[in-house]
Amino acid sequence: MLRSGALRLCPPGALRGPRGSASPPARESRPPPRSFASEAIRVDLSLPNPSWSKDMRLLFDQFMKKTEDGSWKRLPSYKYVSPQSTEVKTFFPDAKPVKGADMPQAQLFPRSLEEGRGFEYAMFHNHVEHRTVCIFQGGPYLQGASGFLHGGAIATMMDSTLGACALRAGGVAMTANLNINFRRPIPLCSVVVINSQLDKVEGRKLFVSCNVQSVDGKTLHSEATSLFVKLNPKKV
Amino acid sequence: MLRSGALRLCPPGALRGPRGSASPPARESRPPPRSFASEAIRVDLSLPNPSWSKDMRLLFDQFMKKTEDGSWKRLPSYKYVSPQSTEVKTFFPDAKPVKGADMPQAQLFPRSLEEGRGFEYAMFHNHVEHRTVCIFQGGPYLQGASGFLHGGAIATMMDSTLGACALRAGGVAMTANLNINFRRPIPLCSVVVINSQLDKVEGRKLFVSCNVQSVDGKTLHSEATSLFVKLNPKKV
């Protein structure tokens, strides 16, 4: 549930977004209380909300413009994960969830923190160029060294973006290798752009790479290469 | 704040820990409401709580036994990060927090989810062998593929363990490279052991590696090598 102090999380000016812009209607600023899969709430969380800074809103609007000719597509994102465990279990037959674990309560990791406090992001995919771009604002609950994002939070967003790129090229796939170079720390509450692309496909193997840059493109924060493995090579 | 449903997150039997064991007193099961640095709450979160499964408690007790002769030391862990930004800012003079960002609200990423829902862990360090071991129970809010931990959650816990190992060898250091091989998925709510060790020191560079194994040691879930860079080489 949105806490009353949530709006104070943003830097001053963050709420002065381009009101009345061409972006789709923002999702409700006060989402329904947390509930579980049985209630089947499917709220698309990759839409603007009041915690998004001006930079985040401007970037979102720029990418929404690119969707108009169909070259780019916005990827929706939800708190609850679609069951794919059949494929995971076929690939790893002995990988079993803990007996009795209360799975309906499970949430997608990058969507499990409250609005504005953790991962605020939206992804866009270009099917012709096999590229996925993620615009990402890392909130105050993602801290590592004082005032900066935790390496694990950066890795999480890179893995998610690379995975989205791989998924669109090869169906359900899992990360087999993730090799990250952290070059410059990312200040908390700032916005960065993660650019990923499919580099090569070899049978079940999908090679995807990405970098993380500041909004103005002048600072390269991180780079990564990755290998994803298709779980069901027949299904794309 | 602990939500009323928190105890239902654990698999059946998870609460039947070894009561009356030699472990130190568990931390309060109902922590104080979330508050910020100005209130200076310093609760050590690397102690047992009611969400810990039997496996987690047994492992914790085993490592606490090892601390008795002084060869191993339990590492405390807090929600709020000690200010180190002076060192980060000296190393990266142009890396500035976003203007006006409300930093007192910031929380250490792996401690920012509610009890039992995210990262439950405790670390132990052996100063002679330069090893850090983390016992880790990943809760239902860390989901990637349905029923399994997100790769980013595994990366986060690996980075934290490797970082703790590097910190004890070389003072304040930041991750420069993290190269992970994900071999077998980790079921949600299960317990794994992360074994890290310092492999080599070259000037400011600290090479640290780790693996993630099941409690019985029979399953190798992941492996990683990493490079950390000391921010202030004079200070150890």
Side-chain angles (χ1 to χ4, degrees):
Chain A
M1 194 151 38
L2 186 72
R3 288 157 56 94
S4 58
L7 299 188
R8 286 186 291 110
L9 294 172
C10 312
L15 302 182
R16 294 193 301 272
R19 306 276 181 212
S21 67
S23 59
R27 67 179 195 249
E28 279 183 27
S29 64
R30 187 173 291 270
R34 279 184 186 161
S35 63
F36 306 122
S38 60
E39 292 171 40
I41 291 177
R42 297 270 290 175
V43 180
D44 183 356
L45 297 169
S46 71
L47 291 169
N49 71 52
S51 78
W52 284 23
S53 68
K54 192 176 170 185
D55 279 348
M56 188 74 176
R57 286 170 180 270
L58 285 172
L59 272 174
F60 182 84
D61 290 342
Q62 282 170 19
F63 272 96
M64 285 307 291
K65 278 265 176 227
K66 292 186 184 181
T67 66
E68 287 171 8
D69 67 2
S71 58
W72 288 81
K73 213 172 170 179
R74 186 179 65 80
L75 306 179
S77 168
Y78 307 98
K79 203 184 263 289
Y80 300 98
V81 176
S82 309
Q84 306 164 337
S85 52
T86 314
E87 267 134 336
V88 178
K89 280 173 193 159
T90 307
F91 203 80
F92 298 104
D94 55 344
K96 288 172 190 146
V98 166
K99 203 179 164 187
D102 209 351
M103 288 306 148
Q105 299 190 10
Q107 296 188 4
L108 183 69
F109 175 43
R111 292 300 188 191
S112 64
L113 281 159
E114 289 162 76
E115 185 177 292
R117 294 176 190 266
F119 299 91
E120 291 295 336
Y121 64 96
M123 291 187 198
F124 297 86
H125 184 71
N126 185 312
H127 189 68
V128 176
E129 297 174 7
H130 302 292
R131 289 173 56 199
T132 302
V133 171
C134 175
I135 57 173
F136 167 43
Q137 176 182 301
Y141 282 16
L142 305 185
Q143 184 167 240
S146 179
F148 296 93
L149 283 191
H150 193 286
I154 302 163
T156 297
M157 228 45 252
M158 288 176 123
D159 185 40
S160 298
T161 308
L162 292 161
C165 195
L167 183 83
R168 262 134 209 103
V172 179
M174 283 185 87
T175 326
N177 175 264
L178 179 60
N179 188 353
I180 306 173
N181 286 318
F182 298 95
R183 302 205 177 278
R184 304 193 74 76
I186 301 175
L188 276 186
C189 298
S190 66
V191 177
V192 291
V193 181
I194 306 174
N195 301 285
S196 73
Q197 61 185 46
L198 178 71
D199 296 323
K200 197 169 56 171
V201 182
E202 282 180 4
R204 305 181 85 113
K205 295 180 182 173
L206 302 158
F207 296 85
V208 198
S209 62
C210 74
N211 64 41
V212 185
Q213 294 184 325
S214 57
V215 173
D216 63 10
K218 289 182 181 166
T219 305
L220 174 65
H221 290 287
S222 309
E223 291 170 299
T225 59
S226 70
L227 166 62
F228 281 76
V229 176
K230 296 185 206 179
L231 296 193
N232 184 348
K234 289 178 196 154
K235 216 167 146 185
V236 176
Chain B
M1 192 152 35
L2 185 73
R3 289 159 54 95
S4 58
L7 299 189
R8 286 186 292 110
L9 294 172
C10 312
L15 302 182
R16 294 194 302 272
R19 306 275 181 213
S21 67
S23 58
R27 67 181 197 248
E28 279 182 30
S29 63
R30 187 174 289 272
R34 280 182 185 162
S35 63
F36 305 122
S38 60
E39 294 171 38
I41 290 178
R42 296 270 290 173
V43 179
D44 183 356
L45 297 169
S46 71
L47 291 169
N49 70 54
S51 79
W52 284 23
S53 68
K54 193 178 169 184
D55 279 348
M56 189 73 175
R57 285 169 183 269
L58 284 171
L59 273 173
F60 182 83
D61 288 343
Q62 282 170 20
F63 272 96
M64 285 307 292
K65 276 267 176 224
K66 291 187 184 180
T67 65
E68 287 172 7
D69 66 3
S71 57
W72 288 82
K73 214 172 168 178
R74 186 179 67 79
L75 306 179
S77 169
Y78 307 98
K79 205 183 261 291
Y80 300 99
V81 176
S82 310
Q84 308 163 336
S85 52
T86 314
E87 268 137 336
V88 179
K89 280 172 193 158
T90 306
F91 203 79
F92 298 104
D94 55 345
K96 287 172 192 146
V98 166
K99 202 178 164 188
D102 209 349
M103 288 307 148
Q105 298 189 12
Q107 296 188 4
L108 183 69
F109 175 41
R111 292 300 188 191
S112 64
L113 280 159
E114 290 163 75
E115 185 177 291
R117 294 174 190 267
F119 299 92
E120 290 294 337
Y121 63 96
M123 291 187 197
F124 297 86
H125 184 72
N126 185 313
H127 188 69
V128 176
E129 297 172 8
H130 301 292
R131 289 173 56 200
T132 302
V133 171
C134 175
I135 58 173
F136 166 43
Q137 176 182 301
Y141 282 16
L142 305 185
Q143 186 168 237
S146 178
F148 297 93
L149 283 190
H150 193 288
I154 303 165
T156 298
M157 227 44 255
M158 287 175 124
D159 185 40
S160 298
T161 308
L162 292 160
C165 196
L167 182 84
R168 263 134 208 104
V172 179
M174 284 185 88
T175 326
N177 175 265
L178 179 60
N179 188 353
I180 305 174
N181 286 318
F182 298 95
R183 301 206 178 277
R184 304 194 73 77
I186 300 174
L188 276 187
C189 297
S190 65
V191 177
V192 292
V193 181
I194 306 174
N195 301 285
S196 73
Q197 61 186 45
L198 178 72
D199 297 322
K200 199 169 56 173
V201 181
E202 282 179 4
R204 304 179 87 112
K205 295 180 181 173
L206 302 158
F207 296 86
V208 198
S209 62
C210 73
N211 64 42
V212 184
Q213 294 184 325
S214 56
V215 172
D216 63 10
K218 288 181 182 167
T219 305
L220 175 64
H221 289 288
S222 311
E223 292 170 298
T225 58
S226 70
L227 166 63
F228 281 76
V229 176
K230 296 185 207 180
L231 297 193
N232 185 347
K234 289 179 196 155
K235 217 167 144 185
V236 179

